[in-house]
Amino acid sequence: MNTKSKSESYAAAGVDITAGYQAVELMKKHIARTMINGKSDDIGGFGGLFALDLKDYKEPILVSGTDGVGTKLKLAFLMDKHDTVGIDCVAMCVNDVICCGAKPLFFLDYIACGKNYPEKIEQIVKGVCDGCVMAGSELIGGETAEMPGFYPVDEYDLAGFSVGIVDRSKVIDKNRMKEGDVMIALPSSGVHSNGFSLVRKVFDVENSDLRKPVAELGGQSLGETLLTPTKIYVKPVLKVLEEVEVKGISHITGGGFYENMPRSIPKGLGVRINKEDVRVLPIFKLIAKTGNIAERDMFNTFNMGVGMTLVVNKEDVQKTLDILKENGEAGAYVIGEIIKSEDGVILQ
């Protein structure tokens, strides 16, 4: 740790640069867990380095994705729990990257805070590293910015950036999709990281007992349920891509079914889904009941229990489900059928 660099004037203005050095030292052991191709010794340098191995690629394409955690962070502040939001940050980026058929290679994070509490920053980065391990991605760098007067002292924002790689011939091409293809749902772990402005309003979280057990949630508290980190689908989906022609992948984020599913379906086609087939999680039933929210608004805001969808040939459905099951997605199931339609998603 740098023990010579210290500015009393900067500290008087609210920025403790020594706290930044301490945070970097605390996070190094977590970052080391994500390293696949290199070492974490140089963490804290000016740029993140990554050795690109192209021997298995004929025409490699880099795919990038960036996102944050959004107002779900307000729940982390209220619960004083900061070790899982980093998983959300990684998930929101790498789950987008995999929709192109790309394998996430490396990740960078950005934390902006009102005051740098090294132990809190360590917990945030631990979550980021947990997410990177789940995604098989390296955390090669990041930034922690202490911004007094811009953020409250106990609050922060968190964003990330992922880069993946795919051969041009293996980029997911939705134009190969045809009538009769089948959509498979991969279950979500909960609300994930979208719709929290509405969630916070529905439950009035700032004035609620977030630690009280809730019967509708199986005895789990509301705060615990809402902070459940976003599921990362990278590894099971990559396994499917090795053996099955996948014609479309949707990451179900803000905008729910109606906004996200059509993005992976070509013009002239749509997906027909029976509402009874959707395995809606208890938290979404509680949100709808508590907030008196219309069904269409629920499906147009939340993932409703479906975190990602894959479209495959009808003949490949069982093989796809078997591969997913072998790789930790035993709950995957058929949710819909591709039909001729200009309506995108037909929920009936």
Side-chain angles (χ1 to χ4, degrees), residues 155-225:
E155 296 191 4
Y156 56 86
D157 198 6
L158 173 62
F161 179 82
S162 174
V163 172
I165 189 170
V166 62
D167 234 339
R168 181 180 292 276
S169 64
K170 295 183 179 179
V171 172
I172 302 297
D173 182 4
K174 65 182 181 182
N175 293 308
R176 296 176 182 171
M177 205 175 295
K178 68 182 187 302
E179 184 181 10
D181 286 341
V182 174
M183 180 176 282
I184 293 173
L186 280 67
S188 70
S189 54
V191 183
H192 283 184
S193 297
N194 300 102
F196 272 86
S197 294
L198 178 55
V199 167
R200 288 167 43 237
K201 179 182 178 182
V202 166
F203 293 118
D204 188 18
V205 295
E206 284 81 4
N207 299 301
S208 298
D209 183 356
L210 296 175
R211 292 180 170 81
K212 180 181 177 181
V214 178
E216 292 95 327
L217 302 177
Q220 192 175 46
S221 72
L222 181 62
E224 215 179 343
T225 301

Side-chain angles (χ1 to χ4, degrees), residues 88-104:
D88 290 292
C89 187
V90 174
M92 296 308 292
C93 298
V94 299
N95 284 345
D96 279 354
V97 167
I98 194 67
C99 288
C100 297
K103 175 185 178 181

